[in-house]
Amino acid sequence: MKPLKLEMTAFGPYAEKTVIDFNRLQEKNVSLFLINGKTGSGKSAIFAAMCYALYNELPGDEPTPAEYMRCHLADEKQGAVVVLSFTVGKKSYRVERQPAFKKPGNKNETAAKAVLWEIHEDGQEELLEEKVTAVNERIKELVGFDRRQFCQVVLLPQGEFREFLKADTSEKAKLLSKLFSTGIYGDVIKSLKEKKKELADKLEQAIKERSVLVKDILADDEDNSAESIKEKLLEEEKAAAEYARKLEAADKELKHAQGELEQAKAADDKFRQREIAKSEYEAKCGEKDKVQQVKLVCQRTAAAKEIKPQWDNLSLSEENKTAAEAKVRRAETAVRKAQEALDRAREGLELQEKKSPVREEAVRELHRLEGLKEKVGAYAAMRGLYELRLEELESAQQELTETRNKLEVSVKRKEKLETEKLSLEKQKAATELWENKVQQLIDEVNVLISYETAKSEADKQAKIVEGLISRSKAVEEAETRAELACRQLQAKWFSCQAAVLAQQLGENMPCPVCGSLNHPNPAEALADHPTEEALNEAETASNKARKLSEAAKAKLSKGQQDLAAAEAKLNAFASKGEGRDRNAAEAELENARKELEAAQKAAKRLTERILPELQKEIEAGQLLAAMAAEAEKKSEARAKIVIEDKAVIENNEKGLPEDCRSMDDWQKKCSGAAERKEKLERDYNMAVTAAHQSEQAVAAETAQLKAARDLASDCESKRLAAEEEFARCMAEKDFASKDDYRKALQSLPELEKWEKYLQSYEKELYSLQERLKAADEAVKGLTPPDMKSISEAVREKEREVTELNQLVGGRNRELELKRKKAQEIFAADEKIDRLQKQYGPAARLAEVADGVNGKNLNFENFVLRSCLEDIADKANQRLRQMSQNRYELQRTGKNQKKTGGRKNLGLDFVIYDSWSGDERPVATLSGGESFITALAIALGTADIVMEYSGGIKLETVFIDEGFGTLDPEMLDKAMEVLGQLSYGGSRLVGIISHVRELVERIDVRLDVIQKGDGTSEAKFVGI
């Protein structure tokens, strides 16, 4: 990657848009240039802007958010913007970024932006990506470095590498681990140790689980082998089968008893149905009186239904008469109210006619106020200008006061920071001392932990072996007894076989053994003649005892081997840990860590907060002092203008009424006068209109009253006619009065229901009578059964079957559970065997990776040593050139040793001086020698990081400070090496420094100039 052009706006100290055109260097064939400027001017901000443009993050171990780089002296509406054009190989690109920014007055901040273009040879730009994440990934793919690698190989901080050169082993290990990400190898070690522990825990857990499972099948004193478990299961299966046979017999008896119960239930049900039919028939016969009453009610209600139209007509005519009379009353009330309203309207009109002079006066007042408008406007404008300038004066005075207050606060804060700076510098000085102390104590505690672990494992293994010896002896004795019993039984069995043959001999029959025809002394049978089955059982027992003995011996041999290994491991740590107090060492370590943490926090606070804040307060104080002087001048000028404006205003006030000296006051008086005039005229017009409308309303309401009275008379005539017709109909149907009719009419909704009831009653009575006859016929010739005794017999059988079911079910569940447990035990045996095979290689691999090997060196430290050797080889190529082949770096501790209870990882350097032929410590190098050595290491580290990144070509390098320690001859050599880096224009080399000798030696410079207002600008000089 090679930069072409960098644009910064409101970024770091660059408040205004600043353009750094690196194309000018290529046009002049310049590859080596100087970035020159005072401390704090903004030299490092240029590299920070390039890093942010490429990776959306600033440089540093813990990158600072780019939002913090916005220039606080820029326009408050301007967000930070960085644009970088660059080449990768033969292709050109342009990336633009803007961090999140909250504009004044907005509730939410504007989201971060990123856009990437490819620039073609014809100058046309092609959009590649326009989202932050997508731009990040595409640039990483194009450049080949991530942010951390880019900072390592492009910006080479000499100060850090000089500290690295003289640092102790632990500090070098930390830096190398960070550069080359070797923490992954530490993770491998941790993973292997975790795998070893995981397998050990699983093996122990599997053995425990098997012991628990065995207890569910066998007693504690029984043999827990797989053969014993199978024999136990066979016994349980036989017992379960016997109970199942008993259950089958009981179940047959139960089914027979249930059949007899069903027949008895059928007969009992017929007798019960006969009683129900008889009861229902008698109940229905008892309803005859009610039926007669219902018939009378139905006849009366039917007569009322026939004359209901005449009743409805009478009710309607009465309602119409009542409504007409109510309408007459409302019309009379409306006429009265209309007349009263007419009287009030005439009185109001007479009152408004008397106010004619007042209306004329309101018109004259409005004309007078309209004539003052121009004069009031001129006065109000002058008064507004005066008040504005008065506010400007107050603002200037307030600004002066606030600036003076801020200046006073800044001075106090600066004094406080200087005091805290002195205190933190003292604490920082003790950091290296406590780091060494902590590392020493960590090594000591690790040794003690290893010793205690080895001792615990050895003691545990010794107890295991002791138990195995006892077990082996017991099993061996059992084997001897079983074998002796088997041999004795075999001898007795063979002896008895001769007696069996003798019983089969006869006269002149050849002996099947010797062939003789004479049998003078045949063998006799023994009293305790053994059977062949007993002989087979004895042989099986003997074989089983032999297998158990062989297994016990194998376990004992394995346990003794494990014990020997544990004792060997204990002996290896005995000289380091025996007789030492681990608790005391851990307590001392904890105390040292606290002291180191306090010192590191002090150093971090000093570097990251106090020093930047102190510098910021110094700059802020200078700026505030200048601002205070400017504010004082501004305040005096404003005061003079306010005095002049006040004199002009007092002169203009003389010709205006006191209550009419502003356009608002004038407008209010004009509005009031206009409203008064309009109100008087409006009131008069309304009074005339109200009188006319009231006269019309009285006439209309009078006409409505006459119509209502005519309607009421007509309704009364119709009501009388309807009443005569209804009286005639009541007489025909034998109703004595209207109340008698209403009472009969109330049953009309129930008439249909009662009629249906009368129809269904006769049908139901006949149906019940037939049902009773059928029930009597069904029970002929039957005797009522004794249901109680029959049911009790069935229940007794059911209880017997239930008990047997529960017993058989319990036996079967227990047997099934034991079968499952047995399968789990057999699976556990396989798992234990598999875990034992896995544990051995895993344990050994974890120990070797953790340093339990011939070199006592763990995996991560081995990789660190390899990285350092590669760096030294690359560094020596340039160191020999800069030192005229005098100096060469050599790594010490190639054969790892123990020194002072700590491991020497072989990460220390010595300098080989070819002029003297001797080695000497790097601490003896002079300032200039340290610089060229650190520069060689920095360039070598950059080369190795690139190689480890896939051989990516480095086209740009920035080297930061350190040149002030070189004498002229050494500076020439360093410049020669740097010139070779940029030879042929293939690599752009920028040196960041303010050393005068470099200004004189390097013609082309990028000068960073700090302006008086706290901002900076950058421009090329020499091209």
Side-chain angles (χ1 to χ4, degrees):
M1 191 285 294
K2 183 181 290 186
L4 299 177
K5 183 185 291 185
L6 175 65
E7 301 176 14
M8 300 174 288
T9 306
F11 188 87
Y14 302 99
E16 302 296 333
K17 182 177 180 180
T18 301
V19 180
I20 301 175
D21 190 356
F22 295 102
N23 276 315
R24 297 177 61 191
L25 299 175
Q26 295 188 22
E27 292 171 358
K28 300 295 183 179
N29 200 25
V30 174
S31 298
L32 178 65
F33 70 101
L34 176 67
I35 302 176
N36 177 52
K38 296 180 180 180
T39 301
S41 60
K43 301 189 297 297
S44 298
I46 295 173
F47 182 77
M50 294 172 61
C51 184
Y52 167 63
L54 292 172
Y55 297 104
N56 198 39
E57 292 179 344
L58 300 177
D61 294 339
E62 296 180 359
T64 303
E67 290 84 346
Y68 294 149
M69 284 299 291
R70 182 186 174 277
C71 181
H72 66 280
L73 297 175
D75 186 341
E76 62 180 4
K77 296 182 180 180
Q78 175 64 53
V81 180
V82 177
V83 183
L84 175 65
S85 300
F86 61 96
T87 62
V88 177
K90 295 183 179 181
K91 292 188 176 182
S92 300
Y93 303 91
R94 182 165 69 90
V95 59
E96 179 177 344
R97 289 191 190 267
Q98 181 174 355
F101 172 61
K102 185 176 181 180
K103 292 184 179 181
N106 291 356
K107 292 183 179 180
N108 301 319
E109 65 179 13
T110 304
K113 298 178 182 178
V115 187
L116 176 65
W117 297 270
E118 181 179 350
I119 307 173
H120 297 292
E121 292 182 358
D122 58 359
Q124 296 295 319
E125 294 186 350
E126 177 187 353
L127 178 64
L128 298 182
E129 304 290 349
E130 55 181 344
K131 292 184 178 180
V132 174
T133 304
V135 171
N136 295 347
E137 293 299 323
R138 179 63 74 91
I139 288 184
K140 183 178 177 181
E141 177 184 337
L142 293 174
V143 176
F145 293 134
D146 59 20
R147 183 198 63 81
R148 180 180 60 81
Q149 294 170 326
F150 178 79
C151 295
Q152 290 169 0
V153 301
V154 176
L155 180 66
L156 305 180
Q158 291 303 296
E160 289 187 15
F161 281 98
R162 274 183 287 174
E163 292 179 6
F164 171 77
L165 180 64
K166 299 180 181 180
D168 61 17
T169 294
S170 62
E171 291 173 339
K172 283 190 177 74
K174 291 178 184 177
L175 179 58
L176 289 173
S177 178
K178 181 174 68 175
L179 282 172
F180 297 102
S181 301
T182 60
I184 187 174
Y185 303 108
D187 294 340
V188 170
I189 297 171
K190 181 180 177 182
S191 177
L192 289 173
K193 290 169 72 176
E194 289 175 351
K195 185 64 176 178
K196 173 187 173 183
K197 184 177 183 305
E198 178 188 353
L199 288 173
D201 292 343
K202 286 182 177 180
L203 181 57
E204 182 180 0
Q205 182 65 25
I207 294 172
K208 288 181 180 179
E209 289 174 356
R210 188 187 188 282
S211 299
V212 172
L213 292 170
V214 167
K215 291 179 180 180
D216 292 335
I217 300 177
L218 302 173
D220 293 340
D221 57 347
E222 291 185 280
D223 177 28
N224 61 8
S225 64
E227 290 77 7
S228 298
I229 293 171
K230 291 177 182 178
E231 291 175 3
K232 190 72 174 179
L233 289 176
L234 185 59
E235 294 174 3
E236 295 284 346
E237 288 172 353
K238 291 179 180 178
E242 180 61 29
Y243 280 105
R245 284 193 291 272
K246 292 180 181 180
L247 174 61
E248 185 178 0
D251 194 51
K252 289 181 180 179
E253 295 176 358
L254 173 61
K255 289 181 179 177
H256 178 73
Q258 288 173 338
E260 293 180 349
L261 177 61
E262 288 300 323
Q263 293 176 0
K265 284 182 178 179
D268 184 67
D269 185 62
K270 291 179 179 180
F271 281 100
R272 189 169 60 254
Q273 290 297 328
R274 178 180 177 279
E275 292 300 323
I276 293 172
K278 181 179 179 182
S279 175
E280 290 180 354
Y281 176 73
E282 291 174 351
K284 183 60 67 175
C285 289
E287 295 182 14
K288 290 183 177 180
D289 292 341
K290 177 182 176 182
V291 170
Q292 189 61 32
Q293 292 177 0
V294 169
K295 287 180 177 179
L296 293 176
V297 170
C298 287
Q299 293 173 358
R300 191 70 171 166
T301 304
K305 182 179 180 181
E306 291 180 7
I307 63 172
K308 189 173 182 300
Q310 288 76 16
W311 168 257
D312 292 340
N313 185 39
L314 175 60
S315 299
L316 178 61
S317 62
E318 289 178 345
E319 290 175 0
N320 291 338
K321 175 194 172 186
T322 302
E325 290 174 347
K327 190 173 183 180
V328 169
R329 290 193 294 273
R330 289 195 297 273
E332 291 174 345
T333 301
V335 169
R336 185 176 65 255
K337 290 182 178 180
Q339 187 61 48
E340 292 173 354
L342 176 61
D343 295 340
R344 289 194 298 274
R346 287 172 176 170
E347 292 175 358
L349 177 60
E350 184 179 353
L351 179 62
Q352 289 299 323
E353 288 175 346
K354 294 178 180 179
K355 291 183 178 180
S356 178
V358 177
R359 287 195 294 275
E360 294 173 357
E361 176 60 27
V363 172
R364 288 193 295 271
E365 175 65 14
L366 181 60
H367 286 303
R368 185 184 70 82
L369 289 172
E370 288 175 349
L372 292 174
K373 180 177 181 180
E374 292 183 2
K375 191 172 183 180
V376 171
Y379 174 79
M382 177 60 69
R383 185 75 186 182
L385 180 62
Y386 169 74
E387 290 175 354
L388 178 62
R389 288 175 174 172
L390 188 61
E391 288 177 0
E392 290 176 349
L393 172 60
E394 291 175 354
S395 176
Q397 291 174 341
Q398 184 178 359
E399 181 181 354
L400 175 60
T401 302
E402 290 176 353
T403 305
R404 286 173 175 171
N405 292 337
K406 288 180 181 178
L407 179 59
E408 183 179 353
V409 171
S410 178
V411 171
K412 290 180 180 179
R413 190 181 294 121
K414 173 177 167 293
E415 292 173 353
K416 182 179 179 181
L417 288 171
E418 288 175 341
T419 302
E420 187 173 357
K421 172 176 170 289
L422 295 175
S423 174
L424 292 175
E425 285 175 343
K426 293 179 182 179
Q427 288 181 273
K428 179 182 177 183
T431 302
E432 184 175 358
L433 174 64
W434 285 113
E435 285 179 345
N436 294 334
K437 183 67 174 176
V438 167
Q439 186 59 47
Q440 179 182 352
L441 290 171
I442 288 173
D443 292 341
E444 183 177 348
V445 169
N446 288 337
V447 167
L448 292 174
I449 291 173
S450 299
Y451 170 71
E452 291 176 1
T453 303
K455 188 173 185 304
S456 175
E457 291 178 355
D459 292 343
K460 180 180 178 181
Q461 194 62 39
K463 291 180 180 179
I464 293 173
V465 169
E466 184 178 351
L468 291 173
I469 291 172
S470 299
R471 171 68 176 168
S472 180
K473 287 180 180 179
V475 173
E476 188 175 357
E477 291 173 358
E479 178 191 9
T480 302
R481 289 193 300 271
E483 186 176 0
L484 178 60
C486 180
R487 288 176 181 175
Q488 291 174 348
L489 197 61
Q490 285 176 342
K492 187 180 289 187
W493 187 81
F494 285 123
S495 297
C496 292
Q497 293 306 305
V500 173
L501 291 174
Q503 292 175 1
Q504 299 174 358
L505 293 176
E507 288 295 330
N508 296 321
M509 291 179 61
C511 176
V513 178
C514 62
S516 175
L517 297 176
N518 298 319
H519 314 294
N521 189 21
E524 297 180 357
L526 298 177
D528 55 346
H529 177 229
T531 63
E532 186 175 358
E533 183 179 358
L535 178 61
N536 291 335
E537 289 178 355
E539 289 175 348
T540 300
S542 177
N543 292 334
K544 181 178 178 181
R546 185 177 66 258
K547 290 180 181 179
L548 291 175
S549 177
E550 291 172 354
K553 289 176 181 178
K555 287 183 179 179
L556 175 60
S557 177
K558 178 65 170 58
Q560 289 173 337
Q561 291 175 3
D562 293 343
L563 176 59
E567 289 176 343
K569 187 174 180 181
L570 176 61
N571 293 334
F573 288 108
S575 60
K576 310 170 189 175
E578 192 171 12
R580 300 186 184 180
D581 186 356
R582 173 183 164 188
N583 292 332
E586 288 178 341
E588 188 177 357
L589 172 60
E590 183 63 25
N591 182 58
R593 278 176 170 160
K594 291 179 180 178
E595 294 292 345
L596 173 60
E597 185 179 358
Q600 288 173 337
K601 286 182 179 178
K604 184 177 180 181
R605 179 176 175 78
L606 176 65
T607 305
E608 297 182 0
R609 181 174 176 182
I610 301 303
L611 292 179
E613 287 187 4
L614 180 58
Q615 179 63 29
K616 183 179 178 181
E617 287 301 330
I618 293 173
E619 295 173 355
Q622 295 172 352
L623 178 61
L624 288 170
M627 291 172 63
E630 181 65 25
E632 188 173 3
K633 293 180 182 178
K634 185 177 179 181
S635 178
E636 292 175 354
R638 299 288 185 199
K640 183 178 179 181
I641 294 172
V642 166
I643 293 172
E644 293 173 353
D645 288 349
K646 186 176 181 182
V648 174
I649 288 172
E650 290 175 350
N651 184 49
N652 290 341
E653 284 179 349
K654 297 176 181 178
L656 290 173
E658 189 171 346
D659 60 347
C660 193
R661 292 180 178 177
S662 70
M663 289 303 295
D664 287 342
D665 291 342
W666 176 84
Q667 186 66 41
K668 288 178 183 178
K669 289 183 72 67
C670 282
S671 297
E675 289 176 0
R676 185 163 175 260
K677 167 182 169 291
E678 291 174 0
K679 184 177 183 305
L680 290 169
E681 291 176 348
R682 186 171 58 252
D683 290 347
Y684 175 76
N685 294 331
M686 289 176 63
V688 172
T689 302
H692 178 67
Q693 290 176 346
S694 295
E695 290 174 352
Q696 292 177 340
V698 168
E701 293 299 337
T702 301
Q704 289 290 334
L705 174 59
K706 181 179 182 303
R709 285 173 175 169
D710 293 343
L711 178 62
S713 176
D714 183 58
C715 288
E716 175 61 17
S717 299
K718 291 180 180 179
R719 186 194 68 79
L720 292 173
E723 188 170 10
E724 289 177 2
E725 176 64 17
F726 180 69
R728 183 185 62 77
C729 292
M730 279 199 306
E732 291 178 356
K733 298 296 182 181
D734 293 331
F735 287 109
S737 63
K738 289 182 180 180
D739 290 338
D740 187 23
Y741 175 78
R742 289 193 191 95
K743 185 176 180 181
L745 194 63
Q746 287 176 355
S747 300
L748 184 60
E750 303 293 329
L751 178 60
E752 185 177 359
K753 173 183 172 183
W754 290 118
E755 288 175 345
K756 289 181 180 180
Y757 167 73
L758 293 174
Q759 293 172 3
S760 66
Y761 174 77
E762 295 298 333
K763 293 180 181 179
E764 289 177 5
L765 183 63
Y766 176 76
S767 175
L768 289 172
Q769 187 176 8
E770 293 299 316
R771 179 181 170 191
L772 179 58
K773 289 179 182 179
D776 288 337
E777 187 67 26
V779 297
K780 280 183 179 180
L782 296 179
T783 302
D786 186 0
M787 294 300 298
K788 182 177 181 182
S789 60
I790 297 173
S791 298
E792 183 60 34
V794 171
R795 284 194 292 271
E796 182 63 31
K797 284 296 179 183
E798 287 176 343
R799 281 194 294 270
E800 182 181 352
V801 171
T802 300
E803 290 174 358
L804 284 171
N805 259 322
Q806 291 174 350
L807 185 58
V808 170
R811 285 270 182 173
N812 288 338
R813 285 192 296 273
E814 184 177 355
L815 178 59
E816 185 62 28
L817 178 62
K818 288 183 177 180
R819 284 173 178 163
K820 290 182 180 178
K821 293 289 183 181
Q823 293 302 320
E824 292 178 8
I825 291 170
F826 301 152
D829 289 337
E830 294 177 1
K831 182 178 180 182
I832 290 170
D833 184 60
R834 184 175 66 256
L835 288 172
Q836 286 174 338
K837 292 178 181 178
Q838 293 175 353
Y839 176 74
R844 180 56 186 154
L845 186 58
E847 290 173 354
V848 171
D850 197 30
V852 183
N853 50 49
K855 295 186 178 182
N856 205 20
L857 186 67
N858 70 28
F859 192 19
E860 183 177 7
N861 292 334
F862 171 77
V863 174
L864 290 177
R865 284 174 53 175
S866 300
C867 294
L868 191 63
E869 288 179 353
D870 292 343
I871 291 174
D873 291 342
K874 292 290 185 180
N876 281 329
Q877 295 176 13
R878 295 184 175 92
L879 180 58
R880 284 192 289 268
Q881 180 181 353
M882 289 188 284
S883 65
Q884 298 180 340
N885 289 320
R886 177 179 179 181
Y887 294 129
E888 182 177 300
L889 283 168
Q890 293 186 353
R891 186 177 60 80
T892 63
K894 292 186 177 180
N895 296 319
Q896 191 180 17
K897 302 176 182 178
K898 297 294 177 82
T899 56
R902 298 179 59 188
K903 293 181 180 179
N904 183 349
L905 303 181
L907 302 183
D908 293 327
F909 282 130
V910 294
I911 288 291
Y912 174 74
D913 190 341
S914 64
W915 291 3
S916 65
D918 294 329
E919 295 179 354
R920 58 191 176 98
V922 293
T924 62
L925 293 173
S926 66
E929 291 170 339
S930 295
F931 170 76
I932 62 172
T933 305
L935 178 59
I937 292 175
L939 295 173
T941 300
D943 291 341
I944 295 302
V945 170
M946 284 191 298
E947 289 181 5
Y948 286 8
S949 300
I952 297 171
K953 185 179 180 182
L954 181 63
E955 296 180 300
T956 305
V957 174
F958 291 90
I959 300 174
D960 190 9
E961 295 296 352
F963 292 87
T965 59
L966 303 182
D967 57 34
E969 184 178 358
M970 195 72 75
L971 182 59
D972 288 338
K973 292 296 180 183
M975 295 301 297
E976 182 179 343
V977 170
L978 295 175
Q980 290 177 358
L981 285 177
S982 61
Y983 181 73
S986 61
R987 183 177 298 179
L988 182 66
V989 179
I991 299 174
I992 303 173
S993 179
H994 59 271
V995 175
R996 182 175 298 277
E997 289 79 359
L998 288 177
V999 176
E1000 296 173 354
R1001 289 171 179 265
I1002 301 177
D1003 296 330
V1004 178
R1005 303 192 312 273
L1006 176 62
D1007 284 347
V1008 180
I1009 304 168
Q1010 193 171 26
K1011 298 189 290 186
D1013 59 357
T1015 63
S1016 298
E1017 61 181 3
K1019 60 182 179 180
F1020 277 111
V1021 177
I1023 56 173

